[in-house]
């Protein structure tokens, strides 16, 4: 069964302290892996789509990487405004209408 | 800017009334729209998938007669919570899939907070 596991559940960082969030997945054929940021009381905001192992994408302090089993969201020198819940989702090749979401990592960056 | 909008952002209603939530794709035509429900501190739960002009496909355990979905055009989908009860109180989020600037992806609306008294 297709599934997504994110770790850690919660992460506290000091401002400037770089770290990584993990998204492990099992899917029968990967069409795409998506990262979203969600602020409290808001809908998820699209960050990245990764399609194949070895692919990397960057946006400001965020960098997403993908292997055949997992994806990492690296946060370099985070700022308090990076505090949010980061969601990972995978889309399978054979049922591409479904996004399988992980439970998210709640990131708190302290000044 | 936002590519998917939802209206209303918040709604409070009495038990037994029906509530309609609109979802619009602003910058693109959405071939497929999705409705999710999110409980506090939990991830998104897919309720149904709809394609323009056809009936929605509901996930297991989601009552079709309770949550009516209409995908009238390539830019508009509505979710009607019929005869709402307190247990229907939740955060409802729509999502639209389409091509924006040549890239196909799935964008989410800002969500609608429903409180049923």
């Amino acid at each position: 069964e297709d599934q997504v596991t994110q770790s850690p559940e919660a992460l506290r960082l000091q401002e400037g302290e770089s770290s990584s969030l993990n998204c492990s997945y099992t899917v029968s054929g990967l069409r795409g892996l998506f990262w979203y940021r969600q602020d409290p009381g808001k809908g998820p905001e699209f960050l990245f789509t990764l399609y194949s192992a070895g692919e990397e994408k960057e946006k400001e302090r965020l960098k997403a990487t993908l292997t055949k089993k997992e994806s990492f969201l690296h946060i370099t020198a985070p700022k308090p405004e990076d505090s949010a819940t980061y969601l990972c989702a995978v889309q399978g090749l054979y049922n591409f209408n479904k996004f399988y979401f992980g439970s998210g990592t709640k990131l708190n960056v302290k000044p | 800017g936002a590519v998917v909008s939802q209206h209303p952002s918040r709604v409070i209603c009495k038990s037994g009334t029906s509530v309609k939530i609109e979802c619009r794709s602003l910058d693109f035509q959405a071939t497929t729209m999705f409705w999710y429900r999110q409980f506090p501190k939990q991830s998104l739960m897919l309720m149904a998938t709809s394609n323009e002009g056809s009936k929605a496909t509901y996930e297991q355990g989601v009552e079709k007669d309770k949550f009516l979905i209409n995908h009238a055009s390539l830019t508009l989908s509505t979710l009607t919570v019929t005869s709402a009860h307190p247990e229907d109180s939740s955060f409802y989020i729509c999502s639209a899939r389409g091509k924006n600037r040549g890239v196909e992806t799935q964008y989410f609306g800002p969500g609608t907070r429903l409180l049923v008294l």
Side-chain angles (χ1 to χ4, degrees):
Chain A
E1 184 180 307
D2 299 345
Q3 62 179 17
V4 178
T5 304
Q6 287 187 250
S7 62
E9 283 187 21
L11 181 62
R12 284 189 173 187
L13 298 174
Q14 285 297 128
E15 184 172 2
E17 180 187 0
S18 301
S19 189
S20 296
L21 281 55
N22 177 264
C23 171
S24 298
Y25 65 92
T26 54
V27 65
S28 40
L30 180 70
R31 182 179 174 94
L33 185 142
F34 302 77
W35 281 100
Y36 293 88
R37 168 192 170 129
Q38 187 175 26
D39 292 297
K42 303 273 182 73
E45 175 191 341
F46 172 73
L47 293 174
F48 304 109
T49 308
L50 301 166
Y51 294 104
S52 56
E55 190 175 359
E56 296 183 355
K57 287 195 176 169
E58 283 187 72
K59 180 180 178 180
E60 296 180 354
R61 295 178 292 281
L62 301 176
K63 179 180 174 181
T65 62
L66 180 65
T67 72
K68 288 186 178 179
K69 294 183 180 179
E70 57 191 350
S71 176
F72 291 95
L73 184 65
H74 306 277
I75 304 178
T76 303
K79 297 182 178 181
E81 53 262 42
D82 294 323
S83 297
T85 295
Y86 290 85
L87 297 169
C88 166
V90 297
Q91 181 187 30
L93 273 175
Y94 308 111
N95 189 3
F96 59 87
N97 270 342
K98 274 201 173 183
F99 269 38
Y100 294 91
F101 276 92
S103 53
T105 293
K106 186 173 182 179
L107 174 65
N108 184 8
V109 182
K110 293 191 169 184
Chain B
V3 294
V4 178
S5 70
Q6 270 184 253
H7 178 79
S9 57
R10 275 177 191 269
V11 58
I12 301 173
C13 69
K14 291 182 179 179
S15 186
T17 60
S18 294
V19 174
K20 181 185 279 188
I21 303 170
E22 288 188 353
C23 175
R24 294 181 185 272
S25 59
L26 301 180
D27 302 328
F28 61 98
Q29 292 184 326
T31 51
T32 309
M33 284 185 166
F34 308 83
W35 287 95
Y36 292 82
R37 185 172 179 176
Q38 188 175 34
F39 292 102
K41 298 184 181 180
Q42 292 188 26
S43 194
L44 287 76
M45 183 189 80
L46 179 64
M47 298 174 66
T49 302
S50 72
N51 292 294
E52 183 261 342
S54 61
K55 287 185 179 179
T57 302
Y58 290 81
E59 294 301 299
Q60 194 170 10
V62 178
E63 298 177 58
K64 300 178 185 182
D65 296 331
K66 176 81 173 166
F67 299 100
L68 300 179
I69 291 172
N70 185 291
H71 193 157
S73 74
L74 285 171
T75 59
L76 174 64
S77 176
T78 60
L79 168 68
T80 302
V81 183
T82 61
S83 186
H85 288 96
E87 58 265 30
D88 298 324
S89 298
S90 190
F91 192 49
Y92 292 88
I93 307 173
C94 76
S95 178
R97 175 183 299 148
K99 283 192 176 181
N100 190 7
R101 299 176 187 173
V103 178
E104 182 172 283
T105 192
Q106 191 162 321
Y107 295 93
F108 287 83
T112 297
R113 175 76 59 194
L114 171 64
L115 177 61
V116 184
L117 302 175

